[in-house]
Amino acid sequence: MAIKTPEKLITKSHGKSNRVPCPSCKKEVCFSLFENVDLSPVAALLKKQGGFFAVCPECAAVFSVNENYIREKESGTVCAMTQSDLSKWVNK
């Protein structure tokens, strides 16, 4: 499912991860994975059109996700997310 807004922002679901310990609450959870895409002309000029993020279902902490993990997951490669694929979310 994709959510569209008047500002040309789209959030796409990329399913769930395997069970990984959350860096914030330390519980082992399956993160919800999303892609954030900005289709506005300003974002195109600045070349900042989006990124991937994960949300912990227990504490609602948000983390950036390594793009290589998402690409391999989407291509059908068997891969497992680790804590090293997560970094603190910085909304730029």
Side-chain angles (χ1 to χ4, degrees):
M1 178 176 110
I3 301 168
K4 296 182 182 180
T5 66
E7 294 84 20
K8 305 277 187 199
L9 299 174
I10 300 172
T11 302
K12 298 178 186 176
S13 175
H14 280 269
K16 301 262 186 197
S17 72
N18 53 290
R19 295 185 72 74
V20 180
C22 174
S24 182
C25 69
K26 309 299 185 221
K27 294 181 181 175
E28 196 167 298
V29 297
C30 293
F31 285 90
S32 297
L33 304 172
F34 298 95
E35 179 181 12
N36 195 35
V37 181
D38 187 347
L39 300 175
S40 69
V42 174
L45 288 172
L46 297 175
K47 298 185 182 192
K48 293 184 178 181
Q49 292 187 297
F52 297 95
F53 64 97
V55 179
C56 175
E58 291 293 323
C59 67
V62 180
F63 300 93
S64 295
V65 178
N66 184 337
E67 288 188 31
N68 291 332
Y69 167 76
I70 297 289
R71 302 261 186 256
E72 287 187 27
K73 181 179 182 291
E74 292 296 311
S75 71
T77 303
V78 176
C79 58
M81 178 186 277
T82 63
Q83 279 189 322
S84 64
D85 291 317
L86 301 170
S87 58
K88 188 174 180 179
W89 173 261
V90 178
N91 192 7
K92 296 178 183 178

